[in-house]
Amino acid sequence: MPHTISAVRPHQAGLLRHMYLPRAADALAATITTYAIPLLILATTGSPALTGLTFAMEWVPRLAMFGVAGCWVDRYGPARVWRTATAIRTAVIVLAAILLPFTTAHVSTWALMTLGAVAGGLTEVSFVAAETAGADASRRADEAGHRIQGVLLGIDQGALLIGPALGGLLIQGGATPMLVAVAVLATLAVAFPIHTGKKEPAQPGTEQVSAVGALREGWRTVRALPALGWLVAGLAASNLSTGVLQASAPITVVHTLGHSTAAVGTIWSVAALATLLAITACRKTIDRWGLWPAGATAAAVVSAGCLTVALTTEFSLYIALVALIMAGEGVMTVVLRTLRSRIIPADVFGATLAVTMTLVLLPLPLAGGLVALTPAPQLPYLLTACATAQGLVLATVFARLRTHTALRPTPGETTS
């Protein structure tokens, strides 16, 4: 049923204030923190081991929080969970911005690493809430739902475009400018609370399940949806390879290629721009050819890129290959989001999202640990091994998915 202009404008205004603005502030704050803290640790300590450990410490609590976040969202509603998580994270960051200038260098290093871990965990809680709210808004928008998902994914990529470069510039003045910027963005996320127009649950009843029970329900849902399970397995294997690439990038760029920490931020900004362009282009590709060809092509590009980037010694080629890899990852993310929005039941979306995201992101702290344990000259060999395993797994996954009905093109298919 077509929307009238008078109905669309208030709806779009509501989405801007209660969905897009808070999501943008939250995503930018999270991106700056994720990329700037490891860079700051490398700049202040010069230790590749601590840099890899910092990357791992950022992701371990994120994974730990997915299960409870999914349970909380299903139980209390995304808006309430969003408000609580963003408010606590803002308070922690403001406290760190006030106290860090008065600490010693050693204490400051470990305090920053701890801050990355705490902020990372709270960020994933708000992420699950925002993803669930976005899915609710998409369902309420009927045939226009893919447009909402397109904007949300564009916001995420825009944050990846701006955040690393901004973080690289801010840390030139030390930790304080970076923390102040993140605190301002986190405050905006609190000031514009996320809301979908859907009635939030009242206080939870006795029939509500625990976090463990919610994860079990989400796991059962994943197992009952073979296409989703195979795609998650492929993305998990891919994330191990790209996680090693991300964790080792500061070491490679600064120690091997001889560039500054600001150059690392530039690399990820260029990669984010390439990803944004790839996501935009792949919508029409999926409309015409379907999910499987787009996903399989992206998988081949990512695997070949990871194998090649391990061998390069030229900075310009390194930037180009990283951009190509992350663009392919972006297309595979579109495939995953499209698939899960189609087939995951709404009443267990939060729990199932928590399980799928945990499985997909589990290799990232492992990647940080591997980089921390690997001497800098041996990092290309580590990346080569991971990229080889990635290519084999992705080839198997997309061979299995080739004839699956959930990934066949349908008339007028759109991404979400």
Side-chain angles (χ1 to χ4, degrees):
M1 182 177 180
H3 300 285
T4 64
I5 294 178
S6 60
V8 169
R9 286 178 177 171
H11 176 66
Q12 291 299 324
L15 285 173
L16 178 63
R17 179 180 176 84
H18 296 299
M19 181 70 67
Y20 300 150
L21 285 179
R23 178 67 172 262
D26 183 70
L28 189 54
T31 304
I32 292 174
T33 304
T34 300
Y35 285 93
I37 289 182
L39 279 174
L40 192 58
I41 295 299
L42 180 64
T44 55
T45 67
S47 171
L50 282 179
T51 303
L53 180 60
T54 302
F55 186 86
M57 285 181 64
E58 286 184 333
W59 281 103
V60 168
R62 292 185 176 198
L63 295 171
M65 292 304 294
F66 267 123
V68 293
C71 177
W72 289 341
V73 168
D74 287 339
R75 180 181 298 184
Y76 298 104
R80 189 178 303 171
V81 172
W82 168 275
R83 287 194 299 269
T84 304
T86 52
I88 295 174
R89 187 185 61 181
T90 301
V92 170
I93 293 172
V94 170
L95 184 63
I98 294 173
L99 296 181
L100 272 181
F102 303 101
T103 61
T104 64
H106 179 74
V107 172
S108 178
T109 296
W110 287 99
L112 280 170
M113 295 170 69
T114 303
L115 174 64
V118 173
L122 292 170
T123 293
E124 292 312 314
V125 176
S126 63
F127 174 80
V128 173
E131 283 289 284
T132 306
D136 288 342
S138 296
R139 283 189 289 268
R140 292 166 64 86
D142 296 326
E143 71 277 5
H146 70 282
R147 298 177 185 175
I148 295 175
Q149 286 294 332
V151 173
L152 292 176
L153 191 56
I155 287 172
D156 291 343
Q157 292 304 316
L160 287 173
L161 175 64
I162 300 171
L166 182 58
L169 291 174
L170 289 171
I171 66 171
Q172 302 304 309
T176 300
M178 183 268 291
L179 290 175
V180 170
V182 174
V184 170
L185 290 167
T187 302
L188 288 175
V190 177
F192 294 93
I194 207 163
H195 184 60
T196 64
K198 179 181 177 181
K199 184 179 180 181
E200 291 287 302
Q203 293 298 322
T206 57
E207 74 281 359
Q208 295 290 345
V209 297
S210 64
V212 173
L215 285 176
R216 287 174 181 165
E217 181 64 30
W219 176 243
R220 283 194 294 267
T221 304
V222 172
R223 292 182 62 187
L225 305 171
L228 180 62
W230 277 108
L231 192 57
V232 165
L235 287 171
S238 185
N239 270 351
L240 178 61
S241 185
T242 55
V244 169
L245 175 63
Q246 291 178 22
S248 63
I251 303 166
T252 301
V253 172
V254 176
H255 287 190
T256 304
L257 301 179
H259 287 262
S260 68
T261 54
V264 181
T266 301
I267 289 173
W268 297 118
S269 293
V270 171
L273 177 59
T275 304
L276 189 59
L277 294 174
I279 289 171
T280 302
C282 82
R283 294 175 187 171
K284 291 185 178 180
T285 301
I286 293 174
D287 285 344
R288 183 171 182 180
W289 301 107
L291 289 169
W292 189 90
T297 302
V301 168
V302 171
S303 299
C306 284
L307 281 171
T308 307
V309 77
L311 305 175
T312 185
T313 57
E314 295 292 332
F315 183 66
S316 57
L317 182 58
Y318 185 86
I319 293 178
L321 288 171
V322 170
L324 184 67
I325 292 165
M326 300 314 295
E329 285 280 340
V331 174
M332 287 200 292
T333 300
V334 171
V335 173
L336 173 62
R337 287 192 177 191
T338 303
L339 183 62
R340 76 186 184 201
S341 66
R342 285 180 179 179
I343 62 179
I344 297 176
D347 58 339
V348 291
F349 189 90
T352 307
L353 174 66
V355 171
T356 59
M357 293 304 297
T358 299
L359 294 173
V360 167
L361 298 177
L362 188 61
L364 292 177
L366 175 60
L370 290 173
V371 170
L373 294 173
T374 304
Q378 305 301 317
L379 286 175
Y381 300 106
L382 174 63
L383 183 56
T384 299
C386 292
T388 302
Q390 171 194 31
L392 293 173
V393 172
L394 286 174
T396 302
V397 167
F398 279 96
R400 290 292 191 104
L401 291 175
R402 184 176 180 86
T403 58
H404 199 285
T405 56
L407 288 174
R408 290 177 184 170
T410 57
E413 180 177 43
T414 54
T415 62
S416 60

